[in-house]
Amino acid sequence: MTSIKDIALKANVSIATVSRALNGSANVTPHTRARILQLAKELDYHPNAMARSLVQKSSRIFGYIVSGIKKGAKHTIVQDSLMGVYDYARSIGYEILMFVVDSDKQNKKSYLDFAREHSLAGVIMQGLRTDDAYYKDIIDSQIPCVLIDLPADCERVGSVSIDNYAAARTVMRHLVEKGHRHIAYLSGMDEAAVSTTRFQGYLSILKEKSIEQRADYILHGNFSEEDAYAALRGFLPGHPELSALFCASDLMALGAIKAARELGVRIPEQLAIVGFDDILLASFADPPLTTVRQDFSRMGYEAAKMLYKIIKGQATPHSKNIPYEFVVRQSG
Amino acid sequence: MTSIKDIALKANVSIATVSRALNGSANVTPHTRARILQLAKELDYHPNAMARSLVQKSSRIFGYIVSGIKKGAKHTIVQDSLMGVYDYARSIGYEILMFVVDSDKQNKKSYLDFAREHSLAGVIMQGLRTDDAYYKDIIDSQIPCVLIDLPADCERVGSVSIDNYAAARTVMRHLVEKGHRHIAYLSGMDEAAVSTTRFQGYLSILKEKSIEQRADYILHGNFSEEDAYAALRGFLPGHPELSALFCASDLMALGAIKAARELGVRIPEQLAIVGFDDILLASFADPPLTTVRQDFSRMGYEAAKMLYKIIKGQATPHSKNIPYEFVVRQSG
DNA sequence: TACTGCAATGTAAACGTTTTCATATCCGAT
DNA sequence: ATCGGATATGAAAACGTTTACATTGCAGTA
């Protein structure tokens, strides 16, 4: 492992000069710089990230913190957003350190400790909920951070998502235009900002179109296929008038479809179902799912980009909406 | 950020003693240790990973290197294996640093440079191919490494996968027992060990059952849905006698199904198709895919476990097969 | 008592950088 | 010829640990 010292020795200069030459500092003769760069290449020099981070008190590493990912996940959301983050990070010479918030809380180590121990330059959070202990920590912390799918207000904290309100309104307008008047909302969880925001969009269209808002039309699926299935199994038999269901996620829509099928409710003839996310399975569902496509990779990319600007103190809006797409298939 | 120095000051001991107390060294009075531990908690002390790594010349970080992952991946393989690796890593207090080998080779930085710059304790590689430049690097490198789905021979290099040979034989026995005599193999790529090993399994059963091995029955799908589709579009019309197809991956099987459907070939009546991997889409395919289930999460977990043993110099076999499961559905 | 040896602690070097401050060199202007 | 002021370089501190080696103190033994 050749170090800056070895180069300095061979080049007959001080380590300070080598450091300056390598880092592109202005005050070094073109001739000296060339010699040092040449030597660095010859000796296969690579800077020691630890040493640099130690003195600079900050590494060139982003933390990628993901919450609520279980073993056999039925979507590639995490993978996609991670790749997006990675793409941008690498373009600026940064690396990604993983941190998974276990659901079973065995992982007591807080995100802050994690970030501090590794002198992370900043952190990107995916899948966090408002009731997560980590969410509070952010407020107090000094660590730059960008949240995906969660609103932010603080100085060093940014936020990236699609315009969930508008997207939900698009879905609802579509359903109303198709003639539906009895539309239920299958909520994810109240602690997830995306779920409540989509719900607001749902409500706003009901109001605009003067459709009665019924409290019993708010179902809860906990963002889970099984819970959605159970909810619909319980709800559908008593509500033959229901003609459309707007689900806060595709996974829940799949559970709903399963329940409907078992109860002999035909989709979309008797019940139109719309999902959200456009996960891979959406187009393979039977019938293929009408849904809102989110580009998670793009989200990750934009999140990393924003994080970098925050770190560098560059001016940037702390909240960004990226484009989405309403995909009409056969389910509703 | 409180450091070891702050604790030493408050406790009226030297930083060496604090370090020893914190690291559980034997030579420190229980009383002193208790006082220091207490102080550490009070001052919310967290060790600086950079400083430690710098002096120890090795961090407590595993590199997770993944190759050939593209944007809209249609499976959760990477996500799953990554989570497996993560699970074990965290259980021993290690973190995971990502490294993606871009297909477009813009990412010139080698895995070795990556590992050295961050003083990685070791590296786990997923999805590498034998012709990958990185594969060669491993031989020369001194960095402990475990490969997933790629054979290894070197001292500090281990390998984890399922028994692809046996699995392929299971598939083939199944097909032969169903009466098939004209069975083609849809290969991934020759540079992928899993593909060639499965091919060996395919051949071995043909030989055992005295079935003629035909060179034109070896198709190439490049592990891609599109290429598989194209291959079958070209092959099927000229080979009405073909009654079964063994695909080296589910994704290729999906492409094959698509081709068959467009050509009016009914599955499984006219053509039995078997895949490999049991990705999420396999059970959603039409017809649902008969395939070999691989537990990628488990693979990742075992890979991390093996890596740790290699690092610690503990005795361990450098090659491990984990269980697989043959899943019979409707496609073949 | 004086010595041996071990247990507990301290001292200081080392890890590989960046960076502040000081120094030396050179060029042009007076 | 002298000075001013860049410009290029060097010396050394600092980052927060671990650890080899030195020191101290104390119990046990001769």
Side-chain angles (χ1 to χ4, degrees), chain B residues 77-92:
Chain B
I77 294 178
V78 172
Q79 188 169 294
D80 292 341
S81 95
L82 177 57
M83 285 305 145
V85 169
Y86 186 84
D87 271 355
Y88 186 78
R90 287 316 307 259
S91 76
I92 54 169

Side-chain angles (χ1 to χ4, degrees), chain A residues 4 16 19 23 45 48 51-52 55:
Chain A
I4 218 180
S19 175
N23 290 314
Y45 168 78
N48 181 317
R52 172 190 290 150
V55 58

Side-chain angles (χ1 to χ4, degrees), chain A residues 4 9 56 65 91 100 116 120 148 225 238 247 265 290 305:
Chain A
I4 218 180
L9 221 60
Q56 294 192 148
I65 300 183
S91 76
V100 179
R116 282 207 274 247
L120 298 184
I148 295 178
E225 191 174 358
C247 308
V265 177
T290 293
K305 196 169 175 178

Side-chain angles (χ1 to χ4, degrees), chain B residues 244-295:
Chain B
L245 174 68
F246 173 26
C247 308
S249 84
D250 285 350
L251 220 47
M252 292 195 297
L254 293 180
I257 287 180
K258 191 178 168 207
R261 166 157 311 124
E262 289 186 10
L263 293 168
V265 177
R266 274 170 306 137
I267 302 170
E269 295 82 3
Q270 295 173 267
L271 180 66
I273 293 186
V274 178
F276 213 105
D277 289 344
D278 195 23
I279 62 176
L280 194 53
L281 288 182
S283 58
F284 282 81
D286 178 25
L289 212 53
T290 293
T291 188
V292 175
R293 175 176 303 159
Q294 300 203 66
D295 187 342

Side-chain angles (χ1 to χ4, degrees), chain A:
Chain A
M1 288 271 42
T2 105
S3 80
I4 218 180
K5 211 169 174 178
D6 304 320
I7 299 182
L9 221 60
K10 288 234 180 195
N12 254 325
V13 294
S14 73
I15 58 167
T17 304
V18 176
S19 175
R20 277 187 282 254
L22 258 27
N23 290 314
S25 159
N27 287 344
V28 49
T29 313
H31 172 250
T32 318
R33 157 166 295 127
R35 200 160 42 109
I36 290 177
L37 256 43
Q38 166 67 17
L39 232 34
K41 193 160 287 180
E42 277 177 21
L43 300 177
D44 191 30
Y45 168 78
H46 290 278
N48 181 317
M50 306 291 151
R52 172 190 290 150
S53 305
L54 184 58
V55 58
Q56 294 192 148
K57 289 167 176 297
S58 170
S59 66
R60 295 189 189 171
I61 298 180
F62 288 162
Y64 180 84
I65 300 183
V66 53
S67 175
I69 170 90
K70 350 184 204 283
K71 275 258 160 64
K74 290 198 171 177
H75 53 74
T76 58
I77 294 178
V78 171
Q79 188 168 294
D80 293 341
S81 95
L82 177 57
M83 286 306 144
V85 169
Y86 186 84
D87 272 355
Y88 186 78
R90 286 318 304 261
S91 76
I92 54 170
Y94 276 57
E95 316 280 355
I96 303 296
L97 200 63
M98 292 281 304
F99 190 75
V100 179
V101 180
D102 312 52
S103 36
D104 55 354
K105 298 293 174 200
Q106 281 214 322
N107 191 351
K108 296 285 279 292
K109 193 186 217 176
S110 97
Y111 118 85
L112 276 178
D113 300 341
F114 168 70
R116 282 207 274 247
E117 284 182 19
H118 292 91
S119 308
L120 298 184
V123 157
I124 286 165
M125 296 194 152
Q126 164 87 48
L128 225 61
R129 299 185 339 217
T130 50
D131 65 336
D132 229 309
Y134 295 78
Y135 188 59
K136 284 187 323 191
D137 287 354
I138 300 171
I139 308 302
D140 308 334
S141 115
Q142 290 304 317
I143 298 157
C145 179
V146 172
L147 309 174
I148 295 178
D149 272 353
L150 211 61
D153 33 17
C154 186
E155 167 63 18
R156 329 154 304 285
V157 182
S159 146
V160 170
S161 66
I162 67 165
D163 186 338
N164 284 287
Y165 183 76
R169 285 172 55 86
T170 303
V171 168
M172 288 297 291
R173 256 192 305 260
H174 168 83
L175 289 175
V176 170
E177 273 164 19
K178 282 224 167 182
H180 296 289
R181 288 299 175 273
H182 294 275
I183 310 173
Y185 178 69
L186 179 51
S187 167
M189 43 182 75
D190 294 342
E191 298 80 12
V194 292
S195 184
T196 56
T197 308
R198 287 165 200 166
F199 180 60
Q200 294 305 320
Y202 162 85
L203 288 182
S204 75
I205 292 292
L206 288 187
K207 182 170 268 179
E208 277 182 29
K209 303 292 182 179
S210 304
I211 299 174
E212 181 199 9
Q213 177 210 333
R214 297 175 49 168
D216 60 339
Y217 274 13
I218 307 170
L219 310 176
H220 295 274
N222 201 33
F223 278 132
S224 133
E225 191 174 358
E226 291 72 26
D227 290 6
Y229 167 79
L232 270 291
R233 272 306 286 232
F235 182 82
L236 286 180
H239 295 270
E241 83 289 356
L242 189 77
S243 78
L245 175 67
F246 174 26
C247 308
S249 84
D250 285 349
L251 221 47
M252 292 196 297
L254 293 179
I257 287 180
K258 189 177 169 208
R261 166 156 311 124
E262 289 186 10
L263 293 168
V265 177
R266 276 170 305 137
I267 301 169
E269 295 81 2
Q270 294 173 267
L271 180 66
I273 293 187
V274 178
F276 212 103
D277 289 343
D278 195 24
I279 61 176
L280 194 52
L281 288 182
S283 58
F284 283 79
D286 178 26
L289 211 53
T290 293
T291 188
V292 175
R293 173 176 303 158
Q294 299 202 68
D295 187 342
F296 289 101
S297 165
R298 173 84 182 276
M299 278 189 185
Y301 189 88
E302 295 294 340
K305 196 169 175 178
M306 182 187 292
L307 180 58
Y308 189 61
K309 288 196 173 178
I310 292 179
I311 290 171
K312 290 297 175 188
Q314 294 170 17
T316 173
H318 279 216
S319 167
K320 168 145 193 164
N321 280 333
I322 71 158
Y324 60 92
E325 188 185 347
F326 184 46
V327 182
V328 179
R329 297 201 185 92
Q330 282 85 64
S331 75

